[in-house]
């Protein structure tokens, strides 16, 4: 260890020592073992023992002194044993290297034989004049390129199979060597117990002898704190258990034994110590473990230090220098060459720390797994650890704790971003969830081959495991709970509906944002995020009701879908900073599969509002707006509506009214937002009955003028009975049909509005599809609407969607057209600045559905 690193480590020890409150005195604080005792009193042991046993465990100084000698002697014996074990491991690695060379040679020979055969065939074709020399050279070059690629694939596959075999051999070796190491520690423990018992008996004898040393011995005994002492219990506290019990469910939850997350001082000192060790270079496992776990006495702190060291090192990306075996490269060579895994390394380090640890094999819902998948064959195999902490087995997954694996499956801008990384990249980030995970949480993602390693009182079957929803660690970090037991695969009702309710802890409910994504299951359609020109997200209603997040899903038509839910805690001190999915670092909390197979017609989409939750809660979180008039996201109204808020800060606003099939610009005259520094009032007069979306946008009054407004909240408004409906400018169906007959295609009025058809210049459209998308180039100051009628006069306006795409394109989508017949699409337009509600007919299409 270089001088700078040595000073950093010394400083860290001093910081740890400042937290000590040990009753005995006169310690040599330079002794690592005593420092470990001091830390065990305050960093972990006090909290752990007080919770598990209800007492404070302060070891007498004499016992700490005995532990110092034990640690020094143990380290010396471990170094000797490691040297012998390393010789065995070196021999194994030489064998591994020979096996890999043999595999590479074998792959080369196989490919070269195949290449020679292929080249022989090409030469024969050339000699028979089947191909000329130019074609021969071309085919030869292409074949050589193909064979080189084939060689790389074959070598990779062969190497992978060898690596898996070598991983098993390495694991078996670490098992054997670990048992020997634990036996060494057991023998040392027995000797320590014997020495301490003798010291205690000698002190008792001297105290009762009445000679000159009796007073000193009596004081010494008084310092023990009790007349009699169970040496076996003390030694077990110092070095841990030497015999591992069979696996069974732990008595306490992780939260009962772990330090408080709010104890920033503890966590910082602990993590800084691990970081200092990780940034140094150690040449033996004995040195590494004694430095890493030296400041800690409890099983918990030792295991956590090892776990944090592995996750801190980012071993998959560590750069090794090609030096000798007595170097960090030699120490972690198994990781570099793929013969040793995270869980094998964790098990190895635990044995040096005197901790019982085993590998557990099974299945996991890892990357690529989708809800409802069946575990067949060797798919989704995984391995993790179980470590003995204070007599109870606990579960650890170092590999998952060291990273969040991020694979961006599509580049669509509407997908929530999980991390700020490049697409298709891996981001390594420490995850505390996978250290000593509670068994009932661990079983959500991992299923052991041996049932006893579920560590559950009530075991589950593999089928039960498959039927559980797919959940991720952030679900547990946030303390989320499902309102009831949901299956991984949910069957939609006849109307295509499914509900999911998630309970959020009250203390974080107002500071947690949720989003979702609905997409098709079919691989050929997984990149599609729309149905009939409408985004799939518009078939999901998300709201927050108290401390519950509710998802009401109405999938549009028969088929299979994935519902993925994302969440993240928000920065409540920065109102208005999160305006859309783009700005939110969200992680997947759970995922479901939804299947719909009904006879009912397709569902209709919600109005085209901003994505995310409905209701006023978002406005309260981000803009300090308190809903006065309407706390629910759904409003039922008749002729008009007044929505009121009180403001916690001065804001400026914009309100938008939206309705399917109608251009947003049309409603500008029907909505008004009035506000001052303390209140917002949105008044709406509805022109027609139907379903509307009300979007409210805001930004701080003090914000720069060029800062765009951010979405604050939205309401879904069902208008049941408008007494005096307003003509929206489209003629009645009968009149429209009369106008249309004999006037197909572009009409003279189209030139007045500078509207140009982009996709369909011919007025007659023949199709077998249920959907037709017609696009026009439309100036920004022109409003477009349309009507869909089936011959003779059957109104199908609900099967028509109008959406402006970009600044100058309007898409008119006729969807859900299942029955054969003649359909008429009548397109109308007017100037946005025109106060009149009269529209002009500019184009008429005839869709002949076969």
């Amino acid at each position: 260890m270089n001088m700078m690193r040595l000073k950093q480590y010394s400083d860290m020890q001093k910081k740890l020592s400042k937290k000590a409150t040990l009753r005995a005195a006169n310690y040599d604080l330079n002794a690592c073992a005593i420092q470990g005792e001091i830390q065990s009193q305050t960093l972990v042991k006090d909290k752990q023992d007080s919770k598990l046993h209800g007492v404070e465990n302060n070891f007498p100084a004499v016992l700490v002194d005995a532990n110092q000698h034990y640690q020094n002697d143990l380290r010396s014996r471990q170094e000797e044993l490691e040297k012998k074990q390393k010789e065995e491991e070196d021999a194994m690695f030489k064998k591994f290297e020979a096996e890999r060379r043999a595999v590479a040679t074998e792959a080369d020979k196989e490919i070269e034989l195949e290449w020679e055969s292929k080249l022989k065939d090409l030469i024969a074709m050339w000699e028979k004049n089947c191909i000329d020399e130019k074609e021969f050279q071309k085919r030869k070059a292409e074949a050589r390129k193909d064979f080189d690629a084939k060689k790389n694939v074959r070598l990779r596959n062969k190497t992978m199979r060898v690596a898996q075999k070598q991983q098993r051999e390495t694991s078996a070796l670490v098992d054997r060597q670990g048992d020997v190491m634990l036996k060494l520690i057991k023998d040392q423990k027995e000797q320590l117990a014997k020495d301490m018992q003798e010291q205690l008996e000698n002190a008792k004898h001297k105290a009762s002898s009445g000679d000159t040393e009796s007073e000193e011995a009596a004081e010494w005994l008084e310092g023990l704190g009790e007349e009699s002492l169970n040496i076996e219990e003390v030694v077990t506290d110092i070095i841990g258990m030497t015999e591992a019990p069979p696996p069974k469910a732990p008595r306490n939850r992780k939260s009962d034994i772990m330090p408080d997350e709010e104890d920033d001082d503890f966590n910082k000192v602990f993590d800084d110590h691990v970081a200092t060790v990780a940034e140094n270079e150690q040449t033996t496992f004995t040195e590494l473990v004694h430095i890493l776990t030296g400041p800690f006495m409890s099983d918990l702190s030792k295991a956590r230090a090892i776990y944090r060291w592995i996750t801190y090192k980012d071993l998959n990306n560590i750069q090794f220098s090609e030096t000798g075996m007595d170097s960090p490269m030699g120490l972690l060579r198994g990781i570099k060459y793929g013969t040793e895994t995270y869980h094998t390394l964790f098990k190895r380090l635990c044995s040096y720390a005197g901790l019982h640890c085993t590998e557990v094999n099974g299945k996991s819902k890892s990357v690529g797994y989708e809800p409802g998948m069946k575990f067949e064959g060797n798919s989704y195999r995984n391995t993790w650890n179980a470590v003995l902490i204070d007599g109870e087995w606990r579960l650890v997954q170092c590999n998952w704790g060291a990273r969040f694996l991020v694979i961006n499956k599509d580049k669509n801008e509407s997908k929530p971003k999980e991390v700020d990384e490049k697409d298709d990249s891996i981001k390594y980030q420490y995850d505390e969830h996978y250290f000593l995970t509670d068994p009932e949480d661990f079983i959500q993602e991992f299923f052991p081959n041996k049932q006893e390693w579920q560590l559950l009182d009530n075991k589950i079957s593999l089928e039960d495991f498959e039927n559980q929803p797919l959940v991720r660690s952030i679900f547990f970090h946030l303390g989320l709970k499902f309102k009831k037991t949901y299956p991984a695969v949910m069957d939609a009702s006849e109307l295509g509906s499914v509900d999911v309710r998630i309970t959020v802890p009250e203390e974080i409910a107002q500071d947690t944002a949720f989003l979702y994504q609905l997409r098709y299951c079919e691989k050929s359609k997984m990149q599609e995020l729309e149905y009939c020109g409408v985004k799939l997200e518009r078939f999901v209603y998300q709201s927050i009701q108290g401390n519950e997040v509710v998802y009401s899903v109405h999938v549009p038509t028969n088929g299979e879908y994935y519902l993925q839910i994302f969440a993240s805690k928000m920065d409540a001190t920065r109102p208005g900073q999160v305006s859309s999915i783009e700005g939110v670092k969200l992680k997947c909390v759970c995922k479901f599969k939804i299947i719909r197979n009904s006879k009912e017609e397709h569902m209709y989409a919600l109005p085209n509002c901003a994505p995310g939750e409905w209701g006023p809660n978002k406005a309260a979180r981000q803009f300090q707006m308190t809903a006065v008039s309407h706390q629910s996201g759904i409003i039922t109204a008749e002729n008009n509506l007044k929505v009121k808020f009180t403001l916690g800060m001065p804001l400026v606003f914009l309100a938008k009214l939206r309705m399917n099939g109608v251009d947003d610009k049309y409603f500008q005259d029907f909505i008004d937002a009035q506000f001052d520094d303390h209140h917002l009032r949105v008044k709406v007069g509805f022109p027609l009955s139907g379903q509307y979306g009300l979007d409210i946008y805001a930004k701080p009054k003090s914000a720069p003028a060029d800062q765009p407004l951010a979405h604050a909240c939205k309401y879904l408004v069902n208008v049941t009975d408008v007494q005096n409906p307003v003509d929206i400018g489209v003629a009645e169906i009968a009149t429209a049909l009369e106008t249309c007959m004999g006037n197909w295609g572009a009409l003279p009025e189209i030139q007045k509005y500078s509207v140009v058809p982009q996709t369909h210049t011919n007025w007659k459209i023949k199709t077998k599809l249920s959907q037709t998308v017609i696009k026009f180039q439309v100036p920004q100051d022109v409003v477009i609407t349309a009507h869909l009628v089936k011959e003779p006069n059957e109104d199908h306006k609900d099967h028509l969607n109008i959406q402006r795409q970009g600044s100058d394109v309007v898409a008119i989508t006729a969807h859900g057209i299942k029955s054969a017949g003649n359909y008429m699409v009548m397109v109308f337009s007017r100037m946005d600045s025109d106060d009149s509600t009269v529209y002009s007919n500019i184009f008429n299409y005839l869709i002949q559905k076969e």
Side-chain angles (χ1 to χ4, degrees), residues 95-114:
K95 179 175 78 75
F96 285 173
E97 291 175 0
E99 289 174 349
R100 295 196 175 205
R101 286 195 298 270
V103 165
T105 301
E106 181 184 5
D108 281 341
K109 288 182 178 179
E110 290 176 356
I111 291 298
E112 286 307 312
L113 286 174
E114 294 175 17

Side-chain angles (χ1 to χ4, degrees), residues 29 119 190 205 216 243 317 586 654 685 735 771 808 822:
L29 292 181
L119 183 60
E190 292 174 351
H205 177 72
E216 181 181 348
E243 298 294 338
N317 286 336
L586 296 174
L654 174 67
T735 306
Q771 173 179 312
D808 60 353
N822 292 327

Side-chain angles (χ1 to χ4, degrees), residues 45-55 251-253 256-257 300 389-392 394:
K45 204 69 180 178
D46 282 352
K47 175 180 176 65
Q48 181 181 347
D49 288 345
S50 64
K51 287 197 172 186
L52 294 179
H53 310 297
V55 296
R251 296 168 297 163
N252 303 279
R253 290 185 61 82
D256 294 327
I257 65 172
L300 173 59
I389 303 294
D390 294 308
E392 295 188 321
R394 304 277 177 172

Side-chain angles (χ1 to χ4, degrees), residues 623-628 644-649 677-680:
F623 292 98
Q624 303 173 28
M625 297 168 57
T626 302
V628 175
K644 299 178 182 179
F645 288 86
T646 57
L647 310 180
M649 60 185 296
D677 288 350
H678 305 287
H679 301 90
L680 166 67

